[in-house]
């Protein structure tokens, strides 16, 4: 299964991705995590993106596409993955289409977590307060001004992907304002429907080829 989780910062992509990993044995490919790891390790890529990320802006498409393209080729991702935080721009989505097409793969679904912006701000403020209370280190980009930039980047650069994937017929909108368990259940329904539809399509094409050969 090859899935994309799409939604603004704080929509719950990471939480749902972890549940999908546990349930379906898929790997979670989070570009945010990969880029943060590069920053932490002080690699050339990390040095290039550190300031961009701290401002809440988007890293260059070519850089992010390169990272994802390599990661998708690793053995643990061959049978399926959940992309979390990628693609974030139309050029990234087009590059992903090319990468998958070259391997003869398709996207199974783009799960769009729909949330309202005021709720997002509250969620992220809560997340920051919880982390502070636990004495955990905050992310450089978890503060009000940077959050504003992250939401702006989402609206301007990432939201157009909703139309892009709707047009391709793979968009599956889900109400991200429901409880975590309800969102998980809604995603499960989408994936169950999808595999039933795939099974039906396979049976149809088998029947057709049998008819042709008899
Ligand atoms: P969020 O919780 O805001 O969704 P992520 O952890 O997905 O954040 O990403 C953090 C930062 O990493 C982004 O603000 C951006 O600077 C960078 N980043 C992550 N994924 C991408 C991407 N696909 N394209 C460009 N920049 C990215």
């Amino acid at each position: 299964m090859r899935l994309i989780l799409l939604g603004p910062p704080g929509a719950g992509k990471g939480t749902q991705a972890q549940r999908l990993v546990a349930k379906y044995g898929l790997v979670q490919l989070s570009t945010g995590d990969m880029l943060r790891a590069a920053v932490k390790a002080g690699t050339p890529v990390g040095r290039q993106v550190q300031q961009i990320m701290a401002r809440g802006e988007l890293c260059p498409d070519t850089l992010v596409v390169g990272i994802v393209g390599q990661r998708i080729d690793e053995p643990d991702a061959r049978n399926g993955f959940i992309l979390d935080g990628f693609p974030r721009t139309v050029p990234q989505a087009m590059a992903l289409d090319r990468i998958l097409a070259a391997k003869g793969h398709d996207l199974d679904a783009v799960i769009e977590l729909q949330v309202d912006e005021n709720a997002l701000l509250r969620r992220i403020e809560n997340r920051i307060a919880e982390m502070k209370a636990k004495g955990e280190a905050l992310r450089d980009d978890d503060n009000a001004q940077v959050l504003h930039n992250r939401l702006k980047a989402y609206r301007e650069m990432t939201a157009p992907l909703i139309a892009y994937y709707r047009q391709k017929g793979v968009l599956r909108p889900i109400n991200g304002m429901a409880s975590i368990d309800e969102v998980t259940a809604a995603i499960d329904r989408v994936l169950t429907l999808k595999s039933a539809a795939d099974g039906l399509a396979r049976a149809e094409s088998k029947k057709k080829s049998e008819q042709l050969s008899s």
Side-chain angles (χ1 to χ4, degrees):
M1 211 151 34
R2 293 177 182 83
L3 306 175
I4 293 177
L5 282 173
L6 186 63
K13 300 186 295 285
T15 306
Q16 296 300 331
Q18 281 167 15
R19 291 183 162 207
L20 289 165
V21 166
K23 177 149 191 192
Y24 296 96
L26 303 171
V27 284
Q28 174 188 4
L29 308 184
S30 157
T31 42
D33 286 349
M34 294 180 212
L35 293 166
R36 275 186 291 276
V39 169
K40 203 166 163 208
T43 65
V45 165
R47 286 200 295 277
Q48 194 184 335
V49 299
Q50 183 165 23
Q51 297 304 318
I52 302 175
M53 290 178 74
R55 287 195 298 268
E57 292 165 9
L58 293 186
C59 304
D61 287 336
T62 45
L63 184 149
V64 182
V65 166
I67 294 179
V68 172
Q70 275 181 6
R71 184 64 187 85
I72 278 180
D73 258 345
E74 285 175 27
D76 63 343
R78 296 248 163 91
N79 292 324
F81 49 74
I82 310 157
L83 287 167
D84 158 14
F86 179 90
R88 250 179 165 91
T89 66
V90 171
Q92 289 181 16
M94 293 168 77
L96 176 65
D97 285 345
R98 286 194 296 274
I99 291 171
L100 292 178
K103 300 179 202 298
H105 292 155
D106 271 332
L107 278 175
D108 291 290
V110 177
I111 295 167
E112 183 209 351
L113 295 178
Q114 298 179 319
V115 284
D116 87 61
E117 240 179 63
N118 291 326
L120 284 181
L121 289 169
R122 278 198 303 277
R123 271 192 195 176
I124 298 184
E125 279 161 7
N126 284 344
R127 183 163 85 188
I128 294 174
E130 273 172 25
M131 289 177 72
K132 272 191 183 153
K134 285 191 214 153
E136 288 173 15
L138 286 179
R139 267 167 56 175
D140 282 351
D141 58 353
D142 269 340
N143 69 60
Q145 176 56 43
V146 174
L147 178 59
H148 174 83
N149 288 345
R150 281 154 66 196
L151 284 171
K152 183 162 175 277
Y154 178 80
R155 275 195 301 270
E156 289 175 5
M157 309 299 287
T158 311
L161 293 180
I162 295 169
Y164 181 88
Y165 286 121
R166 187 185 297 125
Q167 210 175 8
K168 287 183 175 288
V170 288
L171 189 75
R172 300 288 177 267
I174 281 182
N175 173 18
M177 302 304 298
S179 72
I180 295 180
D181 285 344
E182 281 164 344
V183 174
T184 306
I187 295 177
D188 266 342
R189 282 195 291 279
V190 161
L191 299 182
T192 309
L193 277 176
K194 165 73 185 154
S195 59
D198 286 351
L200 219 60
R202 268 197 304 277
E204 281 290 319
S205 83
K206 191 171 164 224
K207 203 160 106 192
K208 270 203 194 116
S209 62
E210 281 166 5
Q211 280 167 352
L212 283 176
S213 62
S214 64

